[in-house]
Amino acid sequence: MTERIATTTGLFPLPDWAKDDLSDLKGHQKHDLISGDEGPEVTAVYDDARSEVVAVQQDAGLDRIVEGQLRWDDMLAHPLTVHDSVETGGIVRYYDNNNFYRDPVVVDELDFDGDVAAELESAAELADDVQAVLPGPYSLADLATDEYYGDDEEFLAAVAEFLAGEVEAFPSVETLFLLEPSLVVSPPEDGEDARASEAIDAVANATDADVVVQPYFGSLTEKVHAHVLDADIDALGYDLVTDHEGCLSNINEFGTTDSVSLGLVDGQNTLVESAETVAERVDWFEENTPVNEFETEYLTTNTEPFYLPYSKFEEKAAVLGEAARLEEVEI
């Protein structure tokens, strides 16, 4: 019997009150908040906001609880932008949307940092069944500028080694989501696709948690999909909102992991799906895949929900929790 787990990709929007409080802090500039040197007043706001988003997930009935990544103004680039070996360059468009991040320019060796582990320690004090969230190594390297390693292959390996070191410092977590939109948006070329798989493998092997690789903004090319399946991961994700037919084609042509993560709820659109609609999408997926007895199906947003107004994020989290319970009732 398939286990259905309601969760999210993390990277939540800030609660409205937290935005107001942070804006009101004397001398506050937006990107000062993610420098890693926040003052006690700013830290207190983030602590309270973290407690709130954890409670929102618990009230929604989500089976995996994420920290929320509320400090990640630079989105997936955050683990590098707060690193001592990185200088932040100019403002760069974040994939093909109206969000922007500071270009992380790597100017020295990427040694251990511990920023994300500290966030997870705080989340673990508030909830059980914690899910860690990180950028995948290919996406993080793609979002960064290398001015130290001097070779794309060496840089990707260094980013993977850095992320693996961060993962090793994590508290005990149930799952680790590696978010890999660049595998779709800027797919690796021949040779690089195998190295991307090896980089994911290096990060996945740093934890005993179940590892989910979540591409989004579309479906993977056939060759990249096949290479990602070579990595030692527990589940591969599919953005069924953006390109359900492409995702289905990959699965039926090349197979997939024993467990899968299904992007069922639109993380960029304010229209709130019903739990019944989400459950129907799961049914459609199972009916159209040759192997419909997966070990686990993660029901999640297709992208990070930080694009959404906070109230819409709350509603969509509740939909995911309810959809998983509907499936349990039907079984």
Side-chain angles (χ1 to χ4, degrees), residues 33-163:
L33 300 181
I34 56 171
S35 67
D37 300 316
E38 297 95 335
E41 290 179 312
V42 170
T43 299
V45 172
Y46 280 120
D47 287 345
D48 290 344
R50 179 187 299 112
S51 296
E52 178 174 322
V53 298
V54 166
V56 165
Q57 295 171 82
Q58 292 168 328
D59 291 345
L62 297 185
D63 301 298
R64 295 288 184 270
I65 306 299
V66 304
E67 186 270 339
Q69 294 72 48
L70 301 174
R71 294 171 55 242
W72 292 27
D73 266 7
D74 292 307
M75 285 79 80
L76 293 183
H78 170 87
L80 288 185
T81 56
V82 298
H83 196 285
D84 288 342
S85 297
V86 175
E87 296 176 355
T88 50
I91 302 299
V92 184
R93 185 178 295 275
Y94 184 69
Y95 298 107
D96 187 22
N97 56 48
N98 291 323
N99 291 270
F100 299 86
Y101 70 102
R102 297 175 304 164
D103 179 23
V105 182
V106 178
V107 296
D108 205 344
E109 182 180 2
L110 290 174
D111 54 5
F112 175 74
D113 182 75
D115 181 83
V116 179
E119 291 180 335
L120 284 171
E121 292 282 1
S122 298
E125 295 175 0
L126 301 170
D128 298 323
D129 300 321
V130 171
Q131 173 179 300
V133 173
L134 276 178
Y138 180 78
S139 293
L140 187 56
D142 180 54
L143 291 171
T145 298
D146 171 36
E147 292 188 356
Y148 177 74
Y149 293 93
D151 175 82
D152 289 345
E153 182 175 351
E154 185 178 353
F155 182 53
L156 177 58
V159 170
E161 183 179 357
F162 160 67
L163 288 173

Side-chain angles (χ1 to χ4, degrees), residues 270-292:
T270 56
L271 178 65
V272 178
E273 303 85 343
S274 69
E276 290 76 15
T277 295
V278 173
E280 288 171 1
R281 289 174 180 175
V282 178
D283 291 341
W284 178 90
F285 174 80
E286 292 180 343
E287 290 166 2
N288 287 278
T289 49
V291 180
N292 57 15

Side-chain angles (χ1 to χ4, degrees), residues 252-270:
N252 291 338
E253 181 73 20
F254 298 103
T256 188
T257 41
D258 292 336
S259 298
V260 290
S261 177
L262 306 179
L264 302 161
V265 170
D266 197 330
Q268 301 181 93
N269 193 310
T270 56

Side-chain angles (χ1 to χ4, degrees), residues 171-239:
S172 178
V173 297
E174 293 291 329
T175 48
L176 167 61
F177 264 52
L178 296 176
L179 307 185
E180 282 282 19
S182 286
L183 288 176
V184 173
V185 178
S186 305
E189 299 178 353
D190 288 349
E192 191 180 20
D193 44 16
R195 293 193 292 272
S197 178
E198 292 168 1
I200 290 170
D201 199 58
V203 181
N205 286 329
T207 179
D208 293 329
D210 291 334
V211 177
V212 180
V213 171
Q214 189 82 18
Y216 47 93
F217 298 135
S219 60
L220 297 172
T221 65
E222 293 180 353
K223 191 171 183 183
V224 171
H225 183 270
H227 275 292
V228 173
L229 291 180
D230 290 335
D232 186 18
I233 60 176
D234 297 280
L236 180 56
Y238 296 92
D239 180 354

